[in-house]
Amino acid sequence: MTYAPSERQQERIAFRRRQAVRSVLLAALSTVVVGVLIVAGVTGSPGWPRVRQSFLNADVATKYLPDILDGFWLNIQLFLVCAPLALLLGLLMAVLRTLRGPVFFPVRALATGYTYTFRGLPLIITIYLFAFGLPGLRLQGTPDVLVLGGAAIVITYGSYLAEVFRAGIESVHPSQVAAARSLGLSYRQSMRHVVLPQAVRRVAPPLLNDVVSMQKDVGLISLAGPIDAIRSAQIGQAGSANFTPYVVAAVLFILLALPLIVITDRVTLRAARAQNAGT
Amino acid sequence: MLLSCTGVRKTFGDHVVLDDLSLEVAEHEVVALIGASGSGKSTLLRCVNLLTGIEDGIIRLDGEEITNPKINPDLVRQRIGLVFQSYNLFPHMTVLDNITLAPTRVHKRAAAEAREQAMHWLERVGLADKARAFPDGLSGGQQQRVAIVRALVNNPRLLLLDEVTSALDPELVGEVLTMIRDLKGEGMTMVLATHEMGFAKQVADRVAFLDAGRVLEHGPPDQVLGDPTEARTRQFLSRIIEAGRL
Ligand SMILES: Nc1ncnc2c1ncn2[C@@H]1O[C@H](COP(=O)(O)OP(=O)(O)O)[C@@H](O)[C@H]1O
Ligand SMILES: [Mg+2]
């Protein structure tokens, strides 16, 4: 016999549909009201004309946009190089911290010292130390400030990422390692094929969060001198006595971050679902 | 002797778990390890597989001392299969990848060949249709059979089974026991820690009763389970009978 919903069930369906229509209408109305209030509040404020003049000036924006875009290209390149390096460094440090036995004490101590130091050190200071301190040693072949500043970003973020990776590694139950070793896999093989794949999957959301945060912090390279988006905006601001260039740079950074933020949200949601399904 | 343990001592801090334990297992022999919970059955199996070190004594496999610190434990483990109570399949890999991991990575066999061998085994145990499934999509009994296959594709000299049916719903125990019975028919040497006295009776050539860190008594199942010499063994068995497991 084919299934036909009972009368009672049809009533329920109809009721839910009416409810759904009503809540959509209500949501639309409240959104419009809130939006109007915000716009009216801001544009109606006594200082609004001046703020619009000095922060949202279309002429200034058009004039400096090409320079800021040029600088922004540097931020993108820097991000594309620094992010994978920081992930690799973090992973390496996390794995080194898991090594057991007295032979590995120096390695373990070094890795631990590294994560403690650079998680505590403000990124700005690290950039200054690298970009201005290292050249002061006058060593042969000191790279330019762009590379040094990039290194400061990689090393700082590597220390955060190392802790995230380590949390992931520790969350994998020891019985998984026992199973891998019992099959004859070496410590390295167990790490690579059994522990790390599970660890990385589990900490993907916090890893991506750090990458998003890194994406905007590459802008701090401007402190070391290279002309990136923020530096160009600063030059624009000085030349025009107007803050619009900063707003232009801000919009560019947000646009760059958006795809990554959306991906992070999706991954986080999926991870949460997988976790709930498992219990 | 395929496996011989002599004077094995294992402690966790002050707690002596194995104390001057000796046990011999001949080729093609099946030995059932019984004993109260916490008597050291799992610990003994883990020591034999070198997953944990011992404080004293000698363990030999095929006459070779595997507790010699100069020996590479990875090479020893490749010759001994261990199956756990909680299956311990790798959740991020398909059934097929779980099985072919060691053959391809440890024994360096060609992927196609390892897959073929794995499929052959899966067909034998009736799980060929699960090859592409992930472990969490399988029942406990199916997972445990995959775990046994995963150990077998390494062609181990010795298979250690640690209460492989304890985590299973009663109606799933049979399928795993059948598989072990078949392995015995093929001459696989096995040491199995178990609570299933009925099964120990059927499949084991010898039953060894573990108590206070040593093998207190061992012999044919009918004798150890039916007419034990030691008072401690009788006590243990009467508790088991009360619990309705014999
Ligand atoms: N990793 C460990 N650390 C400390 N004590 C342990 C550890 N593993 C086992 N033990 C102890 O060793 C004893 C024997 O445990 P086990 O071998 O698991 O017994 P069985 O498998 O016979 O139930 C128990 O008292 C247990 O608490
Ligand atoms: Mg046990």
Side-chain angles (χ1 to χ4, degrees), chain B residues 12-25:
Chain B
F12 292 107
D14 290 340
H15 182 27
V16 182
V17 178
L18 303 178
D19 182 18
D20 195 19
L21 176 142
S22 295
L23 177 71
E24 306 226 302
V25 181

Side-chain angles (χ1 to χ4, degrees), chain A residues 175-187 189 192-195 197-198 201-202, chain B residues 49 51 74 77-78 80 82 84 88-93 101-102 105-106 108 150-151 154:
Chain A
S175 65
Q176 286 286 306
V177 181
R181 299 306 298 270
S182 81
L183 290 170
L185 272 74
S186 64
Y187 182 81
Q189 288 174 320
R192 160 139 185 250
H193 299 293
V194 174
V195 177
Q198 296 185 58
R201 238 161 272 210
R202 254 175 243 183
Chain B
N49 202 25
L51 280 176
D74 291 335
R77 289 192 206 102
Q78 290 169 21
I80 303 178
L82 174 58
F84 303 83
N88 298 1
L89 292 179
F90 306 129
H92 61 296
M93 292 182 186
L101 179 67
R105 302 292 168 181
V106 178
K108 311 286 179 206
R150 182 175 72 173
N154 281 338

Side-chain angles (χ1 to χ4, degrees), chain B residues 12 15 17 35-44 162-163 193 195 210:
Chain B
F12 292 107
H15 182 27
V17 178
S37 182
S39 60
K41 303 181 292 293
S42 303
T43 304
L44 175 59
D162 191 0
E163 300 202 29
H195 271 134
L210 222 62

